[in-house]
Amino acid sequence: MTTQLHPQSSGFSEPKERDHWKSCRSVVFWKCKLWMVITAIFLVIFLVILISLILYSNVYTDEDDYWDPDALLNSGNFHNFSGTLELMCGLPHFFSEDITKRLTEVYSSSPALGRYFRSAQVISFSNESSTVIYQLVFSVPPTTEGFMENIMNPDFIRNILRQNIYDEDDTFNPETSECDKLKLDRTSLT
């Protein structure tokens, strides 16, 4: 009499599972087994990526991150920018020194132009018309490709101030009068 095993008994399922894992223990070449080859491939890929990242970070240096302000200042290359703007309200207690201070704060704190900015000066200011003519002085590095066309572009320089005016308008407190502090008209920048 022969005994029959049911398909659900452990006699049939264990050999299949063992056969599945047995393929990982098979020798692929020499004495290397399949699991060793797969592990080695993943390890090599990981090491190549890691070494590439390390070499890239050591070799690549962004020239904008390293600059010598003394060398830039002593280069003797200066770029002047003149512009006009209008105040939202011309009160007698606003002086050209207030406007100069505001321009100096805006451009010296600019991430794009702060390292090049040297001075701001109000050339003409009239409380009657609230029109200001100003001049900015920047130190520029020796000729670099595209520098004057991109960084020292008059529109770019003007937009630094315009963005500051927009940022100030966003933080405007409605409880205070509009003329309590120096407020510039963003549409008047030329």
Side-chain angles (χ1 to χ4, degrees), residues 21-55:
W21 290 108
K22 186 177 181 182
S23 65
C24 288
R25 289 187 300 243
S26 63
V27 175
V28 176
F29 65 91
W30 195 41
K31 293 182 181 181
C32 294
K33 297 184 180 183
L34 183 60
W35 70 269
M36 293 177 180
V37 172
I38 292 172
T39 305
I41 289 171
F42 281 113
L43 186 62
V44 166
I45 291 172
F46 175 74
L47 289 175
V48 166
I49 291 171
L50 185 66
I51 291 171
S52 299
L53 290 173
I54 291 171
L55 290 177

Side-chain angles (χ1 to χ4, degrees):
M1 213 165 140
T2 59
T3 59
Q4 290 184 339
L5 296 173
H6 294 283
Q8 296 175 354
S9 69
S10 62
F12 287 108
S13 62
E14 285 180 27
K16 285 184 182 178
E17 288 179 17
R18 288 186 186 154
D19 288 339
H20 179 71
W21 290 108
K22 186 177 181 182
S23 65
C24 288
R25 289 187 300 243
S26 63
V27 175
V28 176
F29 65 91
W30 195 41
K31 293 182 181 181
C32 294
K33 297 184 180 183
L34 183 60
W35 70 269
M36 293 177 180
V37 172
I38 292 172
T39 305
I41 289 171
F42 281 113
L43 186 62
V44 166
I45 291 172
F46 175 74
L47 289 175
V48 166
I49 291 171
L50 185 66
I51 291 171
S52 299
L53 290 173
I54 291 171
L55 290 177
Y56 179 76
S57 65
N58 286 337
V59 172
Y60 178 75
T61 54
D62 187 4
E63 59 189 53
D64 287 337
D65 291 340
Y66 304 101
W67 55 280
D68 184 12
D70 294 330
L72 191 60
L73 185 60
N74 296 330
S75 70
N77 297 331
F78 294 101
H79 177 71
N80 295 326
F81 174 82
S82 297
T84 61
L85 60 90
E86 291 182 16
L87 301 177
M88 293 295 277
C89 50
L91 292 177
H93 66 272
F94 289 136
F95 299 106
S96 63
E97 290 83 20
D98 298 324
I99 300 166
T100 301
K101 181 181 176 191
R102 169 80 184 272
L103 291 170
T104 301
E105 288 173 359
V106 169
Y107 285 101
S108 62
S109 65
S110 166
L113 294 176
R115 71 183 79 175
Y116 308 111
F117 178 74
R118 291 298 156 237
S119 65
Q121 177 183 9
V122 173
I123 297 172
S124 172
F125 173 57
S126 168
N127 266 336
E128 291 81 30
S129 67
S130 299
T131 302
V132 177
I133 299 173
Y134 63 94
Q135 181 178 22
L136 306 172
V137 178
F138 298 93
S139 290
V140 294
T143 306
T144 56
E145 189 175 325
F147 180 79
M148 294 304 286
E149 293 83 20
N150 296 321
I151 302 295
M152 289 297 143
N153 182 328
D155 290 331
F156 182 73
I157 294 172
R158 227 180 338 270
N159 285 336
I160 298 284
L161 181 59
R162 183 172 286 122
Q163 182 62 47
N164 182 270
I165 296 169
Y166 276 112
D167 291 345
E168 186 179 82
D169 287 347
D170 290 343
T171 61
F172 180 68
N173 187 355
E175 296 174 3
T176 62
S177 170
E178 190 173 285
C179 292
D180 284 346
K181 64 179 190 170
L182 182 63
K183 190 162 171 77
L184 308 176
D185 182 10
R186 63 179 167 255
T187 59
S188 68
L189 295 176
T190 57

